[in-house]
Amino acid sequence: MKIIVVYKSKTGFSEQYAKWIQTALNCDIIPLNQLKTLEGYDLVIYGAGLMAGKMNGLKDFKPYIQGQKTIIYATGAISKDATEIVDKIKNDNLSQFGKDVPFYYFEAGLDYDKLGFFSKKMLKMMYNSLKKKTDKTAEEIGMMEAIAHSHNYAKESDILPLIETVKQS
Ligand SMILES: Cc1cc2nc3c(=O)[nH]c(=O)nc-3n(C[C@H](O)[C@H](O)[C@H](O)COP(=O)(O)O)c2cc1C
């Protein structure tokens, strides 16, 4: 089975996961902006970071899929234990692919040093609007904590369920 990992990564977290997956599967890897065709591949894994709940590049990636099996992973700053948010991320992002596409959320982190002015400003706005809210839910408090500072919780072993899914395909 010919497999490729396609990724879009602004600050390196999704790229790191793509490289871990490539090593585990000994498969091809390419950033989305260099992708020309997926012809000849049986299985395509797409990964990218989240911005306000939406995966980067998903709309640009979709037209490349021509019948190949697809697996999607998103990386973000929110805790993987925030199951309600993770379910919402899955539903919102997979609506265009169908519910049967396997989806994984990998808790990664946030790197303020690599973010541009507008991204930092957007995070600050998200943080301030959450801060102002009264009666915050546990998920909202989690989101505030996740975006307050740079952190890196990316873990290679988190890819194991995805690798298992590929091996069963
Ligand atoms: C403007 C902005 C919005 C973000 N929104 C979310 C979000 O809604 N949920 C989340 O878990 N992480 C969010 N993040 C954190 C990124 O998704 C996280 O750092 C991701 O791993 C980045 O991946 P990349 O470096 O591969 O692009 C946001 C980051 C930025 C800069």
Side-chain angles (χ1 to χ4, degrees), residues 8-15 49-53 56 75-78 105 108-110 115 119 122-123 126 143:
K8 178 158 181 156
S9 187
K10 295 186 175 203
T11 58
F13 290 110
S14 309
E15 182 178 15
L50 290 164
M51 269 180 96
N56 289 320
T75 72
I78 190 83
Y105 171 70
L110 197 63
L115 289 173
S119 295
M122 201 169 150
L123 285 176
M126 279 167 76
M143 190 69 198

Side-chain angles (χ1 to χ4, degrees), residues 5-150:
V5 189
V6 182
Y7 65 90
K8 178 158 181 156
S9 187
K10 295 186 175 203
T11 58
F13 290 110
S14 309
E15 182 178 15
Q16 173 67 83
Y17 275 102
K19 287 179 173 166
W20 283 332
I21 294 166
Q22 177 205 20
T23 304
L25 296 173
N26 193 17
C27 66
D28 291 343
I29 184 169
I30 192 165
L32 180 63
N33 62 4
Q34 287 175 24
L35 183 65
K36 301 263 186 310
T37 177
L38 289 171
E39 221 180 290
Y41 288 100
D42 308 297
L43 174 64
V44 184
I45 301 162
Y46 179 73
L50 290 164
M51 269 180 96
K54 293 267 177 313
M55 277 182 73
N56 289 320
L58 203 53
K59 276 206 185 93
D60 296 331
F61 164 72
K62 185 155 187 269
Y64 288 99
I65 293 292
Q66 305 289 337
Q68 294 92 344
K69 279 186 191 164
T70 311
I71 296 178
I72 310 249
Y73 74 85
T75 72
I78 190 83
S79 163
K80 59 186 162 208
D81 299 328
T83 47
E84 266 179 42
I85 295 185
V86 172
D87 281 349
K88 190 170 168 2
I89 288 167
K90 177 179 174 181
N91 290 334
D92 291 354
N93 286 282
L94 285 202
S95 56
Q96 41 184 324
F97 280 86
K99 288 195 298 270
D100 295 338
V101 172
F103 175 85
Y104 294 89
Y105 171 70
F106 298 141
E107 183 174 355
L110 197 63
D111 189 343
Y112 273 99
D113 288 343
K114 290 187 186 159
L115 289 173
F117 175 79
F118 287 107
S119 295
K120 282 186 195 155
K121 202 166 169 77
M122 201 169 150
L123 285 176
K124 196 166 184 176
M125 280 165 60
M126 279 167 76
Y127 184 87
N128 286 340
S129 79
L130 285 167
K131 199 174 162 191
K132 268 193 226 135
K133 262 192 103 182
T134 47
D135 297 332
K136 287 186 255 306
T137 63
E139 310 281 353
E140 286 165 340
I141 293 169
M143 190 69 198
M144 269 183 71
E145 285 168 0
I147 62 177
H149 309 283
S150 289

